[in-house]
Amino acid sequence: NAGVTQTPKFRVLKTGQSMTLLCAQDMNHEYMYWYRQDPGMGLRLIHYSVGEGTTAKGEVPDGYNVSRLKKQNFLLGLESAAPSQTSVYFCASSLRTSFAGELFFGEGSRLTVL
Amino acid sequence: GIQVEQSPPDLILQEGANSTLRCNFSDSVNNLQWFHQNPWGQLINLFYIPSGTKQNGRLSATTVATERYSLLYISSSQTTDSGVYFCAVVGTTDSWGKLQFGAGTQVVVTP
């Protein structure tokens, strides 16, 4: 049972480059989320999705785009990477909204932007 | 928004010791979870516990929702218990249910 899987686990980018982080879950969860974790800032919500084909902004959405074309996948894109986007990114999913549902996290993706 | 305070911020334990971590929150909650972030960065679910008491091996948790706090108990600690423990809640007044994380308790268990 894989749960929530993120790829890649590590990536180094130059300023201005683009990339996509992929999150896949095999638990048939409706809700999926992208968080970033920075020292002293805790986990902050970037974007989330309440179902296939729908996405919404979280706390810190600027500089990121997302897509949820298939229920099991949630993609996070950086169109023009900036050093401020150096962070550890976590994907999560839940059966229902986090209002009442239990969140399960992926292993994280460490991104460095030079 | 809802405020989440965890204490203590840091904890050093000798292997075999017991400890209690606390999570206070400023408003009523519909959701409360405890996570362990291990030294490799993985976030692992410990408990989904908006109210009541649960136990899983050497770990147990209690949430007293009416008094706005939750406790995580670690008994007979092991070096593998090292890491950061996060409490996260969803306030009843949150518009869509955003999980708000506390700052965490850094636990170091020494052999």
Side-chain angles (χ1 to χ4, degrees):
Chain A
N1 187 358
V4 180
T5 304
Q6 294 179 226
T7 53
K9 299 289 191 296
F10 302 93
R11 185 74 187 269
V12 178
L13 291 177
K14 294 181 180 179
T15 297
Q17 287 185 317
S18 63
M19 75 157 295
T20 301
L21 294 175
L22 170 64
C23 176
Q25 53 93 5
D26 62 1
M27 297 176 281
N28 202 34
H29 285 174
E30 287 292 335
Y31 299 86
M32 297 186 74
Y33 318 83
W34 276 107
Y35 287 85
R36 59 178 289 174
Q37 185 179 32
D38 303 291
M41 302 291 288
L43 282 100
R44 293 181 292 171
L45 183 65
I46 305 171
H47 285 279
Y48 64 98
S49 168
V50 300
E52 183 178 316
T54 69
T55 63
K57 295 179 180 180
E59 293 177 86
V60 288
D62 294 341
Y64 304 95
N65 56 75
V66 288
S67 64
R68 183 101 181 267
L69 299 179
K70 293 183 178 181
K71 185 178 181 178
Q72 64 268 33
N73 296 336
F74 194 29
L75 278 65
L76 178 71
L78 286 71
E79 290 187 347
S80 180
S84 61
Q85 293 178 303
T86 293
S87 186
V88 180
Y89 292 86
F90 286 96
C91 176
S93 71
S94 64
L95 186 60
R96 297 174 292 170
T97 180
S98 66
F99 187 81
E102 186 174 3
L103 249 66
F104 294 89
F105 282 87
E107 295 184 343
S109 298
R110 184 175 294 275
L111 174 65
T112 300
V113 183
L114 303 175
Chain B
I2 192 168
Q3 304 298 311
V4 183
E5 292 184 359
Q6 292 186 241
S7 60
D10 300 280
L11 191 59
I12 300 176
L13 300 169
Q14 193 154 19
E15 203 167 21
N18 302 328
S19 64
T20 301
L21 282 60
R22 187 176 181 102
C23 172
N24 291 332
F25 39 95
S26 61
D27 204 350
S28 301
V29 298
N30 283 304
N31 185 343
L32 189 147
Q33 294 184 235
W34 283 97
F35 297 92
H36 174 217
Q37 187 164 36
N38 64 25
W40 294 270
Q42 294 176 303
L43 275 165
I44 299 163
N45 286 43
L46 296 178
F47 295 102
Y48 170 70
I49 186 166
S51 64
T53 298
K54 290 186 177 180
Q55 181 159 6
N56 184 4
R58 297 179 296 101
L59 301 180
S60 63
T62 295
T63 297
V64 184
T66 53
E67 297 187 21
R68 300 183 183 171
Y69 73 88
S70 183
L71 302 174
L72 178 69
Y73 305 97
I74 304 174
S75 65
S76 304
S77 58
Q78 300 178 358
T79 55
T80 52
D81 295 330
S82 295
V84 182
Y85 289 80
F86 289 103
C87 168
V89 304
V90 178
T92 54
T93 57
D94 282 348
S95 58
W96 74 274
K98 181 175 73 67
L99 205 62
Q100 183 67 42
F101 284 79
T105 293
Q106 174 85 52
V107 173
V108 175
V109 181
T110 60

